[in-house]
Amino acid sequence: MMQEQLLYTIALGLVIFLVFLWVVIGYSIIIRQSRYVTRSKIDAFFIQKLSMEYAESNALNVPTHLHNDQTIAIKLNNGRKLQYASSILIRVQDTFYSENDNMIEQVCKESGIYKEINKKIKKQNWYPKAMAIWLSYELDLKSHLTCIKPLISHKNVLVRREAQIGLVRFWGWKSLKILPQLKYPISLWQQIRIIENLMDYFPIPDLTYMNKALETQNPFGIELLIRLIRRFEMHAYKNYVIEQLAHPNKNVSETAIEVLETFDLNADQLYKIENLLTLLPTANQPIRISQLIALQQVPTNKEKQHGNN
Amino acid sequence: MEIIKNGIDYFFLVYGIALFICYFFLILFAIAAIHKNKKRSLFLNENDMKGAIDLPSISLIAPAYNEGKSIIINVYSLLSIQYPYYELIIVNDGSKDDSLQQLIAEFKLEIAPFYQSDQHIQHATVIGIYKSTDPKYKHLTIINKQNGGRADALNCGIAYAKTNLVLCTDADCIIEQDALLKMVRPYLEELDKEIIACGGAIGIANDSIIENGILKELKIPKSILARIQVVEYIRAFLLGRMAWHHIDGLMLVSGAFGLYPRSRVLEVGGFDKNTVGEDLELCIRLRSHMEQLREPYEVVYIPETLCWTEAPSTRKVYITQRDRWARGLWETIKKHRQLFFNPKYRTMGMLFFPYWVFFELGAPIVEFLGLICLIVLTVFGLINWPVAIALFVVVYLIGCIFSTAAILLYTVNFKHYAKGSMVIKLLLAAYLESFISHPIMLYAEIKGYFKKIFGIKSTWGTMTRKGFTTK
């Protein structure tokens, strides 16, 4: 009897918990709908704001209803809203061109995004901090650079990563001068982001900073430089890539092979590679390098494309 | 007699409590993992990588055997995937239907020159390699080979692939357009640990609308059996795999959707052709290999549903599938039995593998024994029915809570089942699971084990499918 009672008491508790889960499911569905309404409001607010800024900065007549319609007000008081609002501005920034370089920054200041990002960048928690850095460089808020710069060696990987990408975005090739000082690893994802940012915003390489960056001993930094040499077709640095074939780090030597496969090499360079074969660190590299040499010696119009496509 | 009865009672009680404790912690780990994944994904926008040239190249390998009814639409679906450096390899595994002829006609295929495949893995003889003459399909390669089974066909695809990563899937799966961009993220982010396998969630798309090989409208399956499997998949993928990934204990990447570094798969010799659980076996073998090399590694899991498949909607096909899964599990556990409580393999040997033995392999056996005990004790009149019924109610409710928690996590984090009516249908299916699909599953699993114990030969089994509704 006792056992039975105990079991039914447990069952009652479980039923109550089950009902609680149902309520949470229902609540989450309602919240999702209300979030949709909020997003529509944010959309409307920014369409109005951006239209006015665009019209004013491009000396167009601002439709009167845009001036009059000040009823929409939004409060970007949480990370989700801030992220959504910012994503609208990032898309606008990537799509539209305006005479006014500071249009987005202006809208950020007027809508409160700027203040929110500023607050979040100073937080201790890694997530809002990294998000604020990301938004700062995506929205081109250059004034945040002073807060971002000290974070390039932050203990949290994402904060550190976003700060380093931010520096590239604001400084361009000049940011490469910090490469020899970086001790932490740089993921392939981060390397891609750095390369793509340089490609999009600073398409002409500044060799002064590139030369300084070559001093790095960090294998991840070397890997990044090799990839940069390929992306920007800096043929003058082919010898640097060839030297990396003998690097003790397998990833570095593999990246060097991949990159050299996409370049045309002269007889001297091929001779240098052949000499390096004796110094190679891992078992599979000599085969790949021999293949590279063979590939370079084929006197045809090789398809110099990345990968296999 | 009383001592024996008490002993049996305590065995089942302790086993049940241990299992529930494991599940409880898995839920906690899954919540933490989903939260972490959501935060990190903000910084991994796949749009940023679309133009990049430094991405690892991927081969998508899809074996096809007698898929004539849907092969064309499925290949179109696989070709529409967004990824800059990607090749699609369809391995025609000696189909007896007109799959190959259809492919040749539709994609203007021509015999391509043979090239040397990698010698690390063996596979059945290749009859021909086909490439399209239409530049639109330059990423497509069809390998026509003699029949050797799914694992053999995958091995053949891997041997002929020329990319850094290989994604193994099935020709009848519908893969999300951005699936590769999402699946490759862990490989781009790896720093101190090598990613040896990456799995993504698989969803059930029975009765959903497929247009040009793309999932246009997700619907709840009409068949109750398929509907229950939707809940089962959500629970298994979102709670189970996510939790194991969080504690570095993921031992299984589904065969229908798994991404591996090609070099590591070649190193271990590819998929094992002698088991029907080749996905689980490969994952365990890869892990064991890395443990032996003493190199840091990780098996990762992406909670987003990136691949859609058709679940069995009839009892017969469902039994065939679960029977095969049970046999695959048995074979894999038996093959890797040296891992069991082996400190050489660290947590994998001391914790994760024993969990699989006790609770994945063992659960159907314990449940089956429980049913036998119930019958015997009933015959001898030794059952206290009021207590037994109360215990059943408690166990049933705990099961309902786990399923409801999985549905809740899915609703909160993903949009697929966002409508209230869909959620209600899923909840009802979850509460019927114990009475409808679970007994069938138990029967199928015991049948599979029985075949293994008594050495009854059995093959992959025919998986008759209805096919997706296409427009």
Side-chain angles (χ1 to χ4, degrees):
Chain A
M1 196 62 189
M2 272 284 285
Q3 282 174 327
E4 202 186 326
Q5 265 181 353
L6 177 69
L7 285 168
Y8 279 116
T9 312
I10 294 170
L12 184 67
L14 293 171
V15 169
I16 293 167
F17 187 61
L18 196 59
V19 172
F20 167 75
L21 291 179
W22 291 341
V23 173
V24 179
I25 291 176
Y27 178 73
S28 75
I29 293 171
I30 294 165
I31 279 288
R32 176 165 284 166
Q33 282 163 355
S34 81
R35 209 175 279 154
Y36 180 76
V37 176
T38 311
R39 285 184 172 189
S40 306
K41 278 186 188 167
I42 295 175
D43 286 343
F45 175 82
F46 280 103
I47 289 168
Q48 184 190 354
K49 265 266 166 266
L50 287 163
S51 310
M52 282 177 68
E53 285 290 337
Y54 185 81
E56 278 167 7
S57 59
N58 291 282
L60 298 172
N61 289 329
V62 181
T64 344
H65 72 274
L66 284 181
H67 277 306
N68 297 337
D69 189 9
Q70 293 295 329
T71 49
I72 309 161
I74 54 155
K75 208 178 167 192
L76 303 168
N77 53 353
N78 69 31
R80 201 189 288 267
K81 282 189 206 169
L82 175 69
Q83 196 189 319
Y84 182 72
S86 308
S87 72
I88 298 173
L89 295 181
I90 292 168
R91 266 179 288 159
V92 170
Q93 176 150 287
D94 291 346
T95 324
F96 290 99
Y97 172 78
S98 167
E99 288 291 318
N100 180 4
D101 284 345
N102 299 323
M103 185 179 89
I104 297 289
E105 192 164 350
Q106 195 64 32
V107 175
C108 284
K109 280 182 179 160
E110 285 172 18
S111 61
I113 289 182
Y114 190 90
K115 214 172 114 191
E116 277 298 318
I117 291 177
N118 217 6
K119 245 197 285 179
K120 286 196 187 320
I121 221 164
K122 287 170 190 148
K123 289 217 167 164
Q124 286 299 311
N125 186 335
W126 72 266
Y127 179 64
K129 205 177 191 78
M131 184 164 82
I133 300 169
W134 170 64
L135 291 176
S136 296
Y137 70 76
E138 286 290 353
L139 294 167
D140 210 16
L141 305 178
K142 290 188 184 75
S143 51
H144 285 164
L145 182 61
T146 41
C147 307
I148 293 172
K149 214 183 138 204
L151 301 172
I152 57 166
S153 292
H154 195 272
K155 61 179 191 284
N156 181 281
V157 61
L158 283 169
V159 173
R160 188 167 72 224
R161 186 175 84 186
E162 292 308 310
Q164 288 169 5
I165 298 171
L167 211 62
V168 172
R169 179 69 170 264
F170 292 129
W171 271 1
W173 289 88
K174 190 184 161 191
S175 63
L176 289 186
K177 72 176 186 180
I178 61 152
L179 202 59
Q181 293 149 39
L182 294 181
K183 299 280 176 273
Y184 288 108
I186 307 167
S187 67
L188 178 55
W189 172 251
Q190 187 180 340
Q191 292 178 32
I192 289 174
R193 296 292 317 276
I194 290 172
I195 296 166
E196 294 311 305
N197 269 300
L198 286 173
M199 200 69 201
D200 291 345
Y201 300 97
F202 306 91
I204 301 161
D206 187 330
L207 301 186
T208 321
Y209 295 110
M210 184 68 192
N211 290 335
K212 275 193 183 164
L214 295 183
E215 288 166 19
T216 184
Q217 296 301 311
N218 183 343
F220 294 92
I222 299 172
E223 215 183 304
L224 169 65
L225 291 173
I226 298 172
R227 292 181 195 282
L228 277 171
I229 291 167
R230 169 169 63 184
R231 189 73 162 117
F232 288 88
E233 295 179 9
M234 293 187 269
H235 294 275
Y237 293 94
K238 270 185 210 167
N239 282 335
Y240 175 79
V241 183
I242 291 170
E243 280 161 25
Q244 305 315 320
L245 289 173
H247 196 280
N249 184 297
K250 196 181 161 194
N251 287 341
V252 174
S253 52
E254 273 183 1
T255 312
I257 295 172
E258 271 175 36
V259 169
L260 287 172
E261 277 170 354
T262 65
F263 283 154
D264 277 324
L265 302 173
N266 60 32
D268 284 349
Q269 285 159 339
L270 283 173
Y271 178 72
K272 199 174 173 187
I273 295 173
E274 276 169 344
N275 278 346
L276 275 171
L277 265 173
T278 49
L279 300 168
L280 291 169
T282 48
N284 67 332
Q285 306 301 59
I287 301 163
R288 285 202 61 191
I289 292 179
S290 303
Q291 286 169 347
L292 167 70
I293 295 167
L295 183 80
Q296 290 288 340
Q297 283 166 342
V298 176
T300 54
N301 281 334
K302 292 189 299 278
E303 202 180 343
K304 297 288 180 187
Q305 280 184 357
H306 167 74
N308 306 295
N309 298 286
Chain B
M1 192 66 178
E2 192 62 23
I3 295 167
I4 295 170
K5 189 185 165 282
N6 283 342
I8 291 169
D9 281 351
Y10 280 113
F11 168 73
F12 287 116
L13 186 71
V14 169
Y15 187 87
I17 289 172
L19 191 63
F20 284 141
I21 288 173
C22 286
Y23 285 171
F24 175 74
F25 277 105
L26 287 180
I27 290 183
L28 296 185
F29 292 143
I31 293 169
I34 293 166
H35 191 60
K36 189 178 161 194
N37 180 75
K38 216 173 172 182
K39 278 184 169 179
R40 289 184 76 92
S41 63
L42 172 72
F43 304 100
L44 285 166
N45 185 354
E46 55 268 18
N47 286 328
D48 293 337
M49 36 170 145
K50 279 181 187 163
I53 66 160
D54 292 287
L55 294 172
S57 48
I58 302 179
S59 288
L60 202 152
I61 300 164
Y65 178 70
N66 292 347
E67 307 266 2
K69 278 184 192 166
S70 57
I71 190 84
I72 300 299
I73 192 83
N74 291 334
V75 172
Y76 272 120
S77 165
L78 296 173
L79 280 170
S80 66
I81 289 171
Q82 300 168 356
Y83 193 76
Y85 310 111
Y86 137 72
E87 65 170 347
L88 171 62
I89 301 176
I90 303 287
V91 186
N92 181 40
D93 191 27
S95 295
K96 292 185 183 97
D97 65 1
D98 64 343
S99 302
L100 184 66
Q101 286 69 33
Q102 284 190 53
L103 288 167
I104 290 171
E106 183 69 25
F107 298 102
K108 300 180 184 73
L109 301 178
E110 264 184 3
I111 287 265
F114 254 83
Y115 57 92
Q116 183 68 48
S117 69
D118 194 284
Q119 300 297 298
H120 285 83
I121 40 179
Q122 302 299 310
H123 52 79
T125 312
V126 170
I127 303 164
I129 299 171
Y130 295 84
K131 293 287 283 181
S132 177
T133 51
D134 188 338
K136 255 196 317 192
Y137 309 122
K138 65 174 181 179
H139 304 300
L140 176 66
T141 303
I142 308 284
I143 300 176
N144 185 31
K145 67 179 271 291
Q146 285 176 358
N147 182 260
R150 188 176 181 273
D152 188 74
L154 286 170
N155 282 345
C156 177
I158 294 165
Y160 279 92
K162 290 171 280 182
T163 50
N164 308 109
L165 302 170
V166 285
L167 187 125
C168 300
T169 184
D170 288 322
D172 57 359
C173 283
I174 302 291
I175 295 179
E176 292 278 328
Q177 301 270 291
D178 57 354
L180 293 189
L181 290 167
K182 285 181 174 159
M183 286 286 277
V184 82
R185 288 190 312 207
Y187 291 92
L188 300 181
E189 272 207 299
E190 69 182 12
L191 284 173
D192 46 351
K193 285 181 180 175
E194 184 183 335
I195 311 291
I196 55 161
C198 172
I202 297 167
I204 289 174
N206 292 38
D207 303 311
S208 299
I209 308 290
I210 312 292
E211 212 175 288
N212 297 325
I214 296 165
L215 181 73
K216 279 286 161 196
E217 193 188 341
L218 183 67
K219 291 191 173 177
I220 298 279
K222 286 176 194 147
S223 139
I224 185 68
L225 196 59
R227 199 176 283 186
I228 290 170
Q229 287 172 84
V230 174
V231 181
E232 203 190 328
Y233 272 48
I234 291 176
R235 206 175 47 217
F237 284 104
L238 203 61
L239 291 189
R241 307 240 172 123
M242 208 58 206
W244 286 114
H245 157 62
H246 189 66
I247 53 169
D248 261 352
L250 191 58
M251 303 270 275
L252 169 63
V253 162
S254 288
F257 200 59
L259 184 65
Y260 309 89
R262 182 171 173 266
S263 56
R264 288 292 182 202
V265 178
L266 290 174
E267 257 173 47
V268 299
F271 285 94
D272 182 353
K273 288 180 270 186
N274 301 316
T275 174
V276 285
E278 75 287 338
D279 46 2
L280 172 67
E281 199 284 326
L282 177 69
C283 197
I284 293 182
R285 195 147 36 90
L286 277 168
R287 287 190 69 128
S288 308
H289 176 65
M290 297 303 283
E291 290 286 343
Q292 282 160 3
L293 292 177
R294 290 276 165 214
E295 282 189 30
Y297 68 94
E298 208 177 347
V299 178
V300 295
Y301 172 74
I302 307 222
E304 289 148 271
T305 308
L306 302 173
C307 173
W308 299 92
T309 189
E310 188 189 347
S313 51
T314 64
R315 203 186 308 181
K316 197 181 158 200
V317 182
Y318 184 68
I319 289 172
T320 309
Q321 187 194 53
R322 298 307 157 113
D323 167 4
R324 191 184 72 241
W325 287 5
R327 281 183 286 125
L329 177 62
W330 182 285
E331 285 163 356
T332 306
I333 298 285
K334 193 179 164 194
K335 184 177 172 184
H336 293 280
R337 59 188 178 278
Q338 81 282 359
L339 297 176
F340 192 64
F341 285 118
N342 187 340
K344 232 172 73 185
Y345 294 91
R346 298 179 296 175
T347 41
M348 182 198 180
M350 299 304 286
L351 186 67
F352 309 139
F353 192 79
Y355 172 89
W356 273 77
V357 175
F358 288 128
F359 298 119
E360 296 289 345
L361 183 81
I365 299 168
V366 172
E367 200 175 342
F368 181 65
L369 291 175
L371 282 174
I372 292 173
C373 287
L374 188 73
I375 295 164
V376 172
L377 294 176
T378 307
V379 170
F380 287 102
L382 292 169
I383 295 269
N384 179 346
W385 282 107
V387 173
I389 291 167
L391 191 63
F392 171 79
V393 171
V394 169
V395 172
Y396 172 73
L397 283 170
I398 293 173
C400 290
I401 285 172
F402 287 137
S403 296
T404 311
I407 294 169
L408 167 65
L409 277 176
Y410 201 92
T411 318
V412 170
N413 293 290
F414 306 102
K415 291 175 188 166
H416 297 115
Y417 301 109
K419 285 184 198 161
S421 59
M422 286 176 127
V423 175
I424 290 169
K425 281 178 187 169
L426 289 183
L427 286 172
L428 287 175
Y431 304 148
L432 289 173
E433 186 182 353
S434 306
F435 308 104
I436 297 176
S437 71
H438 191 78
I440 306 172
M441 188 174 75
L442 180 65
Y443 164 73
E445 286 170 337
I446 293 299
K447 191 179 163 191
Y449 290 170
F450 187 82
K451 283 177 184 171
K452 292 313 302 177
I453 293 167
F454 294 100
I456 300 166
K457 278 204 170 175
S458 192
T459 55
W460 183 270
T462 314
M463 287 285 295
T464 317
R465 283 177 161 147
K466 219 170 92 182
F468 292 118
T469 313
T470 54
K471 270 189 182 172

